[in-house]
Amino acid sequence: MTTTTRTGYASIQIGLHWCIASLVVFQLVFGESMVKATEAAEEGEPIGGTDALLATAHYWVGLSILALVFFRLAVRIWMGTSTSTETNRLLALLVGAVHWAFYTLLVVVPVTGLLAIYANPEISEIHALAKPVFIALIAVHAAAALFHQFVLRDGALMRILVPAK
């Protein structure tokens, strides 16, 4: 992995971050339609048009997230990351753990969704466990960003908003 001394991220890294984040929020908000569609199919009942549309969208957005995460990891390897603003070693380790937890979920969740559809429907229970974990990680991540921006005022949030020069 490339080591860099940049204090921010490149435009492509910022774009991928916010694109994936938006798609994850979509999945969290509208993912219940996939549950409704699956249950209706299992019971041989018809599914409503909106739920059918959102279930289909959930499938394709999940595949898109998976593809974009692999692209993002390739960009990370190619370009490296910006230097951390965290000076406390323990907190720096926590920051790294949260980021890698996101990467892990962003790969494991779509894969378990696909496995639930094509291999074993019981895997959907594992897939569903990701929702509260994602919500908790997002809350921690957002709180840390806001803490850095408004309490520490160290510009950490700007690294993912404004491309590095």
Side-chain angles (χ1 to χ4, degrees):
M1 198 172 312
T2 304
T3 303
T4 175
T5 57
R6 286 183 287 121
T7 58
Y9 292 96
S11 295
I12 190 166
Q13 292 169 307
I14 293 170
L16 285 167
H17 173 275
W18 291 109
C19 181
I20 293 168
S22 299
L23 293 173
V24 167
V25 169
F26 175 88
Q27 295 293 70
L28 292 171
V29 172
F30 297 109
E32 293 305 313
S33 291
M34 181 60 92
V35 174
K36 290 178 185 176
T38 304
E39 288 173 355
E42 288 172 357
E43 296 171 9
E45 296 178 3
I47 182 170
T50 302
D51 284 332
L53 176 67
L54 289 173
T56 300
H58 185 81
Y59 177 89
W60 290 107
V61 169
L63 286 178
S64 299
I65 289 170
L66 187 60
L68 288 169
V69 167
F70 282 124
F71 181 58
R72 184 171 176 180
L73 288 168
V75 168
R76 181 184 174 105
I77 291 167
W78 175 52
M79 298 184 79
T81 61
S82 70
T83 54
S84 177
T85 61
E86 191 54 65
T87 56
N88 180 300
R89 183 156 169 75
L90 181 60
L91 289 177
L93 287 171
L94 183 60
V95 167
V98 168
H99 280 104
W100 285 106
F102 271 122
Y103 283 122
T104 300
L105 281 174
L106 291 168
V107 171
V108 169
V109 174
V111 168
T112 58
L114 290 170
L115 289 172
I117 292 170
Y118 295 112
N120 182 349
E122 292 179 15
I123 294 174
S124 65
E125 294 175 20
I126 296 168
H127 181 77
L129 292 174
K131 186 173 185 174
V133 176
F134 257 126
I135 291 169
L137 280 176
I138 291 167
V140 167
H141 188 61
L146 294 172
F147 178 77
H148 275 274
Q149 181 65 25
F150 296 111
V151 176
L152 297 179
R153 298 179 184 210
D154 61 5
L157 181 60
M158 297 311 292
R159 297 180 326 139
I160 202 65
L161 295 174
V162 179
K165 294 179 183 182

